[in-house]
Every structure is written in structure tokens, then in C-alpha cells.
């Protein structure tokens, strides 16, 4: 290719059309299935839309109602923050530990990886949630095991203090996708670093903290952001396993939003809730990014 | 050439996307073979036994009406109306829809989502000759006939005879007070080591309790509560709290794990009493095996004032249906064809047509005989149903259930619960 003289305009119109033609499926999808509904829900959040009639503009009423007159909203907020705050770190730590273990495996690595990834493949699904309900039910497998080794059984799903923990455990158990990403990150760390440090007399624990963790920080950052977003948006487990009960102790934010929209036909209010959640997630993501300057190391950073 | 290719590609993409976006009415109109077969969509909620029976009924209907094909969508009651709401918002309700009397019928009436069936009744395409006015009245709202009742229903105290015998209790004449109820459940649970009764569902039973005390849940014009004294709700809560404390009834943690009518405590022999709708006798009996399940009136000194007949459910035709006439033909078939009841028995209530009832009575199954007799009993001991449900009532009743749960878990006292219910209702009504 000869370099093009800068002052000569290229006739690229034709090529652009071709390009747009090829990405048109994505563009059409983006506009009609993503962008339009997003903006429409913003409009709906200022109306009293009830799913069937015509929306009437009511200004900030929905937001005002949410913050001042709806104790259930605050309850669901509390539940969601607790859930995300506990379940996300558990999942990340678990994923990292399993990835470290797998990284040591030399034979049959594919098989192990697949087996460990399975819960997450079927993870978001109704089937696993239904299984969970059976598992922790009063006559479920978990209680049977406890009984057989002589420990007291408990109504795990029926007790407001423990029901949320069954969901947290479920979230932690579906660590597959973060684990795979960690594994890829681990594989990327050059062996020479470890060899050099062991020559200098560093043990595996020290190696882990001075080599593995620092070099893994970009991957940790990525996983944290993805999981925080997922944690805030969790819906299926509480919908299927407990339906928000007992006494709203597992009423995740998105589940409450769903109830508002489809059980009480309160679509305007639910749209407003969605936008509040968007702002919350945006703030968290921004904070994590902001903090990453202090703890994430990129190898390319020549500092 | 290249340009042509690109544009045809684009056109193809656009066409396919537009086709996907447009409200494709493939479910209606002619099928591919070109013959004039109309496809109708139909939805209902229910238990597994109802799903099986209804599909058989549809088969029988299609045999007699080869020009109509019915596509069925069915779920349990939980989630049914959420699903319908989503379809309603997309202007995509099924042609034939099983509707519920009260909060939902009023809500759909309010939003004008259902077709007025009066013309079909007038020209005889839905034949309801001789059906009592009270029954037909229950499908009317704002002067329009929005649904044809599938059958008659009533709240029932189901009981396990063996467990009552074990405690020497007999309630078959329906003469029992709330004090009796408390005493019986306690003594049964002591005698059998199981629960005396299932925990009551506040949605229907608090309303019944109010009626029995001469009050209503909502006031005349549906703008607020129909009772002044919160003590009524406090009493309702405290009765359940007391029994739960004695171990005579279970708490929500047990109830929560029940996966449907077939899985109820009474079916498993773990509770003696269960208050629910009479048409569920079919599902209960089919799951209960050889346990003798009896049916009687709910407790209360004035239970004939509290008891009422209710349309078990209604068949409605949606306003957006393009095949209202064909849909009406199915409803007519359902009301007038004996096969429907030979297949389904009393699962959707006792048939509304006198001739069907008398034709059936010759060889009723044991369960259906029981239900028919019970409906007779209620007919003689009941007062008219209340229909002043505001459109917000589904939310209000859901809140009542939540508050009941909070009270049963001890997070609120009975008084706080009653107070919170009233303030919640006021808040919802004022929006």
C-alpha cells in the first residue's frame, strides 16, 4: 500500500455503506431493542403508566413516593446491598482459590474445568433454583444430612435470618465464569518470575502475594466490576427459591421492581426504580474504577 | 453488482427485523394448508389435573368443530395474572381467557380489555337459557357482560374425617363457631400429633370473617375499607397467633414449601382442616388417596351471612381478539356440552345449567357428588357476594398477605399489623 497523501480526500462513501450494511443487524437491534426501550422507560418513570392505559405525566411523584412513602423500597434496598456486599466477595474469593488449584493441575485439566464450570452454565436457570429449594427445604437433602450426623435441622428457607444466606451460598457456588477468567489470567503470568523469585528464596505464600496478586489485578478489577453489576441485578434466585419471603427478607431490588410492574401494574413506578438502580450501579462502577488507580498494576505501565 | 448485493442484503435484514418486530399474528388466520381453520389462543390457570382435563375438553371441542384449532397456554395461579398483564400491555391477550371474579375482573373491566358478550347471548350463539340471574350478574360490570361463569363455587371447610374422629369431633352440619374451631384444632392436634388446621389465607378468609361479622372488606363505592374497627383484623391475627403458638396450626415456613394443591397438608394427612374453594375438591381428592375428605361450611355464629356463592371463574373474550365469534362458540360448548363435565367434573365449579346438573346427577363421581351436595348446602345458607372490589384490590390483598406474614413471624404485633394494613390501603387508594 502506498501512503495516501493527506490532502487528497478518499472516496470512501461506498465502502462505508457496505460497512453499515454489514453491521445493520446489530444497529437495528441496538436502536429498536435497547436504546428505544431504555429511553422510553425514562419517560415512563415520570408517568403513572399501568401497563394498559395511557401514561399520564406526573413529574417526580414516583421518585418522591419511592424515597418517602415506601418502606418496602428501603427494605429491598437493604436486602440487595447486603446480598451483593456479602455474596460478591465470597464468589470472587472462591473463584480465585479454585483457579489457583486448577492452575496446578496438569492432567485432565479440561475435564475438571468443565465440571467446575457446569453449575454456572446452568446457573441462572430456573432448574438450579428449584433444586436449591428442594435442597434447603424442611425435608430437603441438607436437613437429611444434618440429621444423619446428629446435628439439629433447621427451616432454612422459612427463617428470615437464614433464607438470604441460602441465596448467598447459591451465588457463591456459581463461580464458574469468574474462575475461568482468573485461570486465563494465571496462565498469562510468566513462569520465569516464579523461578527467579524461588532462586531468591521466596516461598509459595510470598510468591502469591508479591507476584500472583499484583499481576492478576487487572483481571481482579474486571471480575469485580462484572460481579458487582450482576449481584445488584440478581433476580432469579429470590424469585424462584423464596419469592422474596419470608417477611421480605430476600426481597431483592429487581424482584420488588418486577412485583411492582407485573403484580401491581405499577409500571411507571417500576421504571423509576430501574433508573435509581442504574444510578447506583453507575456510582459503584465509577468508584471501583477510580480506586483501581491505586491497586491495579498493568505490566505496560512503565513507572 | 456489488452494490446490488449490498442493498439486497440490507433489504433482507430490514425485512426480517421488521417481521420480528411487527405484531405477527401467526396464531390467528388460516393455517398453511389453506383450508379455513381458525386458530384461537386460550389461557387458564389451575392444577395439573385441570390442565389434563382441559386439554381433553379442547380435543372434544375440536372434534365437533373441525374448523377451529385451539392453542392452549396454562400455568398455576401464581404468575398467571402477571403473564396476562404483560400480554395485555402488548395488546396481545388470548382470544379466550379464564378470568377471576372480583379484583381481576374489575381491573380488566376498568381498562376495557374484555369484549362485551351481550350480543352473543342475545343472538343465542352463547346459550345461557335458564341460568339464574345471580350467576349471570356476577359476570357483569358497568352494564357489560364481560365473562360467562364456568360454574358455581363456595369457600369450604375441607376436613379429614379420620382425624376428626380421632378427637371425637363432628362438624358435618356446618354449625360451629370460631370458638369451636379453636377448640377443635387444638384437640385434634393433641389427639393426632399433626396440625389441627392449615394456616388460613387472609385474602379470602379475612374477607369471610368480616362478612360473618356483618361488615365488608371494601366500602360501597370501593374507595376504602368497609369496616371501621381495626379490632376485627386484630382478632383475626390473634386467633392464628394463638393456635400457632400451641402448635395447632403451622406457620408460614411450612406453608411456603407447599408446591400446589396436590401437595397440601390435608392431602398428606398433616392437617385436619383446610379452608379453600369447593372446586378444588377434585384436585384434593385425586391427591389424597384413600383419606376421607369431608366438606362443610366455614365456622362462625352467623356463617350463613358470611358464606356466599361465587363464580368459580369466568370465560372472557378479549377486546383485541379477531375471532370473537369462534371464541364464543367455545364458551357455548363449555356451558352446554355434557362432555365437558364428564371430563372435568366439578373442577371449574358446579355447572351453571340446570339440565346439565340433572343429567349429570345420575352418575356422578364420589367427589362431584360431594361438591354438588355442598353447593346445595351453601345455596341455602349464604348471602349475596360482594363485588365492590376497586381496581387496586389485587395490590391491597397482596399487602394483606405480607402483613399477615409479618404478624405471624412476630415482626409486628397484631395491633400494629391491623394499623399498618389500614394506612397501606389509604396510601394505595390515594394515589
Amino acid at each position: 500500500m502506498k501512503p495516501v497523501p493527506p490532502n487528497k480526500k478518499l472516496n470512501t462513501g461506498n465502502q462505508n455503506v457496505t460497512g453499515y450494511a454489514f453491521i445493520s443487524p446489530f444497529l437495528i437491534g441496538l436502536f429498536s431493542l435497547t436504546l428505544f426501550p431504555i429511553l422510553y422507560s425514562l419517560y415512563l418513570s415520570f408517568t403513572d403508566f399501568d401497563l394498559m392505559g395511557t401514561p399520564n405525566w406526573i413529574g417526580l411523584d414516583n421518585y418522591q413516593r419511592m424515597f418517602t412513602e415506601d418502606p418496602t423500597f428501603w427494605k429491598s434496598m437493604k436486602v440487595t446491598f447486603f446480598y451483593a456486599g456479602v455474596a460478591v466477595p465470597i464468589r470472587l474469593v472462591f473463584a480465585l482459590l479454585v483457579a489457583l488449584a486448577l492452575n496446578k493441575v496438569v492432567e485432565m485439566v479440561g475435564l475438571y474445568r468443565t465440571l467446575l464450570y457446569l453449575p454456572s452454565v446452568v446457573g441462572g436457570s430456573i432448574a438450579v433454583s428449584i433444586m436449591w429449594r428442594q435442597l434447603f427445604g424442611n425435608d430437603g437433602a441438607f436437613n437429611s444430612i444434618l440429621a444423619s450426623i446428629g446435628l439439629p435441622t433447621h427451616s432454612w428457607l422459612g427463617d428470615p435470618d437464614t433464607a438470604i444466606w441460602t441465596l448467598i451460598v447459591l451465588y457463591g457456588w456459581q463461580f464458574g465464569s469468574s474462575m475461568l477468567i482468573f485461570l486465563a489470567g494465571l496462565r498469562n503470568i510468566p513462569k520465569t518470575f516464579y523461578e527467579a523469585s524461588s532462586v531468591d528464596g521466596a516461598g509459595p505464600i510470598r510468591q502469591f502475594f508479591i507476584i500472583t496478586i499484583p499481576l492478576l489485578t487487572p483481571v481482579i478489577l474486571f471480575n469485580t466490576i462484572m460481579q458487582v453489576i450482576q449481584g445488584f441485578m440478581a433476580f432469579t434466585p429470590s424469585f424462584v427459591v423464596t419469592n422474596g419471603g419470608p417477611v421480605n427478607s430476600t426481597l431483592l431490588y429487581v424482584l420488588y421492581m418486577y412485583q411492582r410492574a407485573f403484580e401491581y401494574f405499577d409500571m411507571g413506578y417500576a421504571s423509576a426504580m430501574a433508573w435509581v438502580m442504574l444510578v447506583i450501579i453507575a456510582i459503584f462502577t465509577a468508584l471501583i474504577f477510580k480506586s483501581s488507580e491505586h491497586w491495579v498494576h498493568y505490566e505496560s505501565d512503565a513507572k | 453488482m456489488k452494490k446490488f448485493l449490498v442493498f439486497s442484503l440490507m433489504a433482507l435484514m430490514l425485512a426480517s427485523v421488521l417481521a420480528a418486530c411487527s405484531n405477527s399474528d401467526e396464531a390467528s388466520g388460516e393455517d398453511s394448508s389453506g383450508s379455513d381453520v381458525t386458530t384461537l389462543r386460550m389461557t387458564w390457570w389451575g392444577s395439573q389435573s385441570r390442565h389434563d382435563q382441559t386439554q381433553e375438553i379442547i380435543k372434544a371441542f375440536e372434534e365437533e368443530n373441525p374448523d377451529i384449532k385451539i392453542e392452549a397456554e396454562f400455568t398455576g395461579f401464581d404468575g398467571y395474572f402477571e403473564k396476562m398483564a404483560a400480554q395485555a400491555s402488548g395488546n396481545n391477550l388470548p382470544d379466550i381467557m379464564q378470568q377471576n371474579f372480583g379484583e381481576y375482573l374489575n381491573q380488566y373491566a376498568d381498562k376495557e380489555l374484555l369484549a362485551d358478550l351481550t350480543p352473543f347471548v342475545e343472538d343465542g350463539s352463547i346459550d345461557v337459557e335458564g341460568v339464574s340471574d345471580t350467576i349471570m350478574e356476577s359476570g357483569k360490570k358497568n352494564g357489560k357482560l364481560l365473562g360467562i361463569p364456568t360454574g358455581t363455587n363456595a369457600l369450604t371447610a375441607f376436613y379429614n374425617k379420620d382425624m376428626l374422629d380421632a378427637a371425637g369431633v363432628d362438624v358435618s352440619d356446618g354449625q360451629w363457631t370460631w370458638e369451636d374451631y379453636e377448640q377443635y384444632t387444638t384437640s385434634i392436634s393433641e389427639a393426632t400429633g399433626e396440625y389441627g388446621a392449615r394456616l388460613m389465607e387472609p385474602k379470602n378468609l379475612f374477607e369471610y370473617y368480616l362478612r360473618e361479622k356483618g361488615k365488608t372488606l371494601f366500602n360501597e363505592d370501593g374507595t376504602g375499607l368497609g369496616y371501621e374497627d381495626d379490632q376485627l383484623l386484630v382478632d383475626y391475627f390473634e386467633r392464628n397467633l394463638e393456635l400457632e403458638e400451641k402448635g395447632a396450626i403451622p406457620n408460614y415456613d411450612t406453608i411456603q414449601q407447599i408446591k400446589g394443591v396436590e401437595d397440601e397438608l390435608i392431602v398428606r394427612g398433616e392437617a385436619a382442616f383446610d379452608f379453600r374453594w369447593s372446586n378444588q375438591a377434585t384436585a384434593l381428592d385425586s391427591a389424597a388417596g384413600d383419606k376421607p375428605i369431608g366438606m362443610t361450611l366455614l365456622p362462625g355464629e352467623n356463617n350463613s351471612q358470611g358464606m356466599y356463592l361465587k363464580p368459580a371463574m369466568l370465560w372472557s373474550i378479549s377486546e383485541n381478539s379477531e375471532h370473537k365469534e369462534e371464541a364464543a362458540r367455545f364458551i357455548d360448548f363449555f356451558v352446554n356440552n355434557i362432555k365437558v363435565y364428564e371430563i372435568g367434573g366439578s373442577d371449574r365449579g358446579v355447572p351453571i345449567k340446570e339440565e346439565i346438573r340433572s343429567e349429570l346427577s345420575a352418575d356422578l363421581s364420589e367427589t362431584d357428588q360431594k361438591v354438588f351436595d355442598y353447593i346445595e348446602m351453601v345455596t341455602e345458607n349464604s348471602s349475596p357476594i360482594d363485588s365492590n372490589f376497586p381496581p387496586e384490590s389485587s395490590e391491597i390483598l397482596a399487602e394483606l398477605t405480607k402483613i399477615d406474614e409479618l404478624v405471624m413471624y412476630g415482626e409486628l404485633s397484631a395491633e400494629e399489623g391491623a394499623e399498618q394494613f389500614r394506612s397501606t390501603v389509604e396510601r394505595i387508594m390515594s394515589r
Side-chain angles (χ1 to χ4, degrees):
Chain A
M1 277 294 284
K2 264 196 303 188
V4 183
N7 56 358
K8 197 174 168 192
K9 269 198 76 177
L10 261 178
N11 180 12
T12 55
N14 211 350
Q15 282 170 331
N16 282 355
V17 171
T18 315
Y20 281 121
F22 275 108
I23 59 166
S24 65
F26 165 76
L27 283 182
I28 292 169
L30 174 75
F31 283 109
S32 65
L33 302 176
T34 312
L35 224 50
F36 171 71
I38 286 175
L39 294 173
Y40 192 58
S41 85
L42 180 60
Y43 158 70
L44 286 180
S45 74
F46 300 108
T47 68
D48 63 355
F49 186 48
D50 60 2
L51 262 181
M52 300 173 200
T54 42
N56 301 307
W57 187 267
I58 52 169
L60 289 170
D61 278 13
N62 284 329
Y63 294 92
Q64 190 199 327
R65 220 175 93 201
M66 202 182 307
F67 290 113
T68 58
E69 298 172 21
D70 188 357
T72 315
F73 165 80
W74 290 111
K75 173 79 192 182
S76 70
M77 199 67 114
K78 227 170 79 181
V79 169
T80 310
F81 268 83
F82 178 78
Y83 175 82
V86 177
V88 170
I90 288 182
R91 182 188 277 195
L92 289 173
V93 168
F94 217 76
L96 182 56
L97 289 178
V98 175
L100 284 169
L102 261 185
N103 203 22
K104 293 272 179 285
V105 176
V106 243
E107 281 173 22
M108 310 249 284
V109 83
L111 175 73
Y112 288 119
R113 213 167 38 198
T114 311
L115 284 179
L116 286 163
Y117 189 45
L118 264 184
S120 313
V121 175
V122 286
S125 76
I126 301 284
V128 170
S129 300
I130 288 179
M131 181 188 89
W132 220 249
R133 203 167 63 191
Q134 308 279 32
L135 205 60
F136 287 98
N138 287 353
D139 317 323
F142 197 65
N143 271 347
S144 311
I145 293 168
L146 286 181
S148 68
I149 52 175
L151 290 169
T153 60
H154 184 72
S155 171
W156 302 101
L157 296 173
D159 178 347
D161 295 331
T162 54
I164 188 76
W165 284 99
T166 63
L167 300 186
I168 288 172
V169 171
L170 175 58
Y171 190 84
W173 179 63
Q174 296 167 345
F175 54 81
S177 58
S178 343
M179 175 202 78
L180 282 188
I181 295 166
F182 275 135
L183 195 60
L186 289 172
R187 291 275 152 101
N188 261 335
I189 300 173
K191 289 255 187 302
T192 48
F193 289 7
Y194 293 105
E195 285 158 8
S197 64
S198 64
V199 169
D200 287 343
I205 304 274
R206 190 166 159 80
Q207 280 181 344
F208 175 75
F209 283 107
I210 60 166
I211 299 170
T212 313
I213 290 282
L215 289 173
L216 214 52
T217 44
V219 182
I220 294 176
L221 171 70
F222 174 81
N223 268 339
T224 308
I225 288 177
M226 293 315 266
Q227 295 307 328
V228 164
I229 292 175
Q230 258 192 42
F232 274 116
M233 290 178 52
F235 166 79
T236 313
S238 67
F239 179 61
V240 177
V241 181
T242 53
N243 201 5
V247 292
N248 290 346
S249 64
T250 58
L251 187 73
L252 293 176
Y253 191 90
V254 182
L255 176 61
Y256 181 50
M257 198 165 93
Y258 165 87
Q259 287 180 353
R260 275 280 149 206
F262 293 104
E263 279 177 34
Y264 307 152
F265 308 107
D266 210 353
M267 195 42 100
Y269 188 84
S271 300
M273 281 184 72
W275 279 85
V276 169
M277 185 38 82
L278 177 84
V279 170
I280 291 173
I281 290 179
I283 291 173
F284 267 88
T285 314
L287 285 176
I288 295 170
F289 261 117
K290 200 86 198 108
S291 74
S292 72
E293 292 166 13
H294 305 291
W295 59 271
V296 176
H297 310 278
Y298 293 99
E299 275 188 274
S300 54
D301 288 356
K303 273 181 187 168
Chain B
M1 183 68 213
K2 196 160 131 198
K3 238 185 192 168
F4 170 74
L5 258 178
V6 166
F7 278 114
S8 50
L9 183 79
M10 253 181 128
L12 198 77
M13 295 285 179
L14 264 171
S16 62
V17 169
L18 286 177
C21 290
S22 72
N23 210 340
S24 60
D25 278 327
E26 281 164 47
S28 54
E30 285 75 26
D31 72 352
S32 53
S33 65
S35 63
D36 288 349
V37 174
T38 311
T39 307
L40 299 175
R41 276 175 58 227
M42 170 175 160
T43 58
W44 68 85
W45 73 84
S47 58
Q48 192 53 49
S49 53
R50 179 176 304 161
H51 300 331
D52 298 343
Q53 290 160 359
T54 311
Q55 296 189 69
E56 244 184 282
I57 291 169
I58 289 175
K59 265 204 202 89
F61 171 77
E62 286 174 342
E63 270 164 30
E64 290 191 19
N65 300 273
D67 59 324
I68 300 179
K69 197 168 150 297
I70 293 185
E71 284 183 355
E73 296 169 23
F74 45 88
T75 59
F77 187 77
D78 285 340
Y80 176 80
F81 278 98
E82 285 92 316
K83 207 169 129 179
M84 290 299 113
Q87 296 193 0
S89 66
N91 215 358
N92 197 16
L93 280 172
D95 300 285
I96 308 164
M97 172 183 182
Q98 186 173 295
Q99 254 299 351
N100 202 12
F101 176 86
E103 72 268 37
Y104 288 108
L105 183 70
N106 293 7
Q107 187 173 47
Y108 278 69
D110 193 55
K111 311 241 185 291
E112 297 180 346
L113 290 163
L114 303 176
D116 186 2
L117 305 179
T118 315
F120 297 109
V121 169
E122 280 171 357
D123 71 12
S125 50
I126 299 179
D127 172 11
V128 287
E129 202 60 47
V131 177
S132 84
D133 285 348
T134 15
I135 292 182
M136 290 310 293
E137 201 54 46
S138 61
K140 284 190 180 137
K141 199 74 206 168
N142 316 333
K144 289 182 189 161
L145 179 61
L146 300 176
I148 306 285
T150 59
T152 314
N153 220 359
L155 280 170
T156 313
F158 285 97
Y159 59 93
N160 179 329
K161 285 200 192 87
D162 290 349
M163 291 172 80
L164 265 64
D165 290 345
V169 171
D170 180 20
V171 292
S172 54
D173 61 356
Q175 302 286 324
W176 55 321
T177 63
W178 285 108
E179 288 69 38
D180 294 337
Y181 166 77
E182 287 162 29
Q183 197 194 316
Y184 294 166
T185 44
T186 314
S187 60
I188 291 168
S189 94
E190 279 163 7
T192 60
E194 301 287 356
Y195 292 118
R198 184 201 196 273
L199 179 63
M200 288 193 251
E201 286 199 285
K203 270 184 187 184
N204 294 310
L205 288 151
F206 177 56
E207 196 213 357
Y208 165 80
Y209 183 65
L210 287 172
R211 284 176 53 99
E212 192 260 326
K213 294 279 181 256
K215 304 273 186 262
T216 55
L217 182 54
F218 294 107
N219 60 15
E220 204 78 15
D221 49 2
T223 52
L225 289 173
Y227 65 99
E228 296 301 315
D229 187 3
D230 277 349
Q231 191 56 39
L232 288 161
L233 184 50
V234 172
D235 291 347
Y236 173 90
F237 285 146
E238 280 181 343
R239 171 171 302 119
N240 289 331
L241 281 168
E242 242 164 79
L243 290 171
E244 197 269 330
E245 210 155 303
K246 287 186 197 158
I249 61 170
N251 204 335
Y252 271 99
D253 57 340
T254 307
I255 298 302
Q256 203 189 38
Q257 315 225 348
I258 296 170
K259 288 184 273 298
V261 183
E262 292 90 346
D263 189 41
E264 277 293 347
L265 300 177
I266 188 168
V267 166
R268 292 189 263 153
E270 291 170 19
F273 285 111
D274 189 348
F275 298 167
R276 52 185 53 249
W277 294 105
S278 55
N279 65 312
Q280 296 181 333
T282 315
L284 286 181
D285 271 356
S286 69
D290 54 1
K291 296 181 194 69
I293 308 267
M295 298 170 76
T296 191
L297 302 177
L298 264 52
E301 274 164 37
N302 316 306
N303 58 1
S304 57
Q305 179 179 277
M307 295 296 304
Y308 55 92
L309 290 172
K310 174 191 162 174
M313 54 210 68
L314 307 144
W315 288 123
S316 294
I317 300 178
S318 63
E319 190 56 78
N320 65 22
S321 165
E322 292 172 6
H323 305 285
K324 295 193 177 72
E325 274 164 41
E326 287 84 355
R329 268 165 60 194
F330 174 81
I331 296 179
D332 181 60
F333 175 90
F334 195 95
V335 172
N336 291 294
N337 196 307
I338 188 87
K339 274 187 205 160
V340 169
Y341 304 95
E342 283 164 352
I343 297 169
S346 57
D347 181 63
R348 279 191 174 88
V350 170
I352 59 177
K353 280 274 190 144
E354 178 63 44
E355 53 261 45
I356 299 262
R357 284 200 298 270
S358 50
E359 205 173 327
L360 278 177
S361 56
D363 54 348
L364 279 177
S365 74
E366 213 174 308
T367 301
D368 293 341
Q369 186 60 56
K370 196 164 65 179
V371 177
F372 276 49
D373 292 348
Y374 177 68
I375 293 290
E376 285 293 309
M377 184 177 181
V378 177
T379 310
E380 287 154 24
N381 299 291
S382 57
S383 64
I385 190 169
D386 294 311
S387 64
N388 45 356
F389 286 89
E392 297 90 351
S393 33
S394 61
E395 179 174 355
I396 288 170
L397 290 170
E399 288 291 342
L400 177 61
T401 308
K402 278 199 172 155
I403 290 170
D404 188 55
E405 202 181 9
L406 287 163
V407 171
M408 290 309 290
Y409 269 109
E411 309 241 335
L412 290 175
S413 69
E415 284 80 13
E416 286 167 339
E419 232 166 272
Q420 188 171 327
F421 178 59
R422 185 172 291 277
S423 62
T424 304
V425 170
E426 278 162 10
R427 204 177 63 219
I428 293 171
M429 288 291 200
S430 68
R431 284 207 305 258

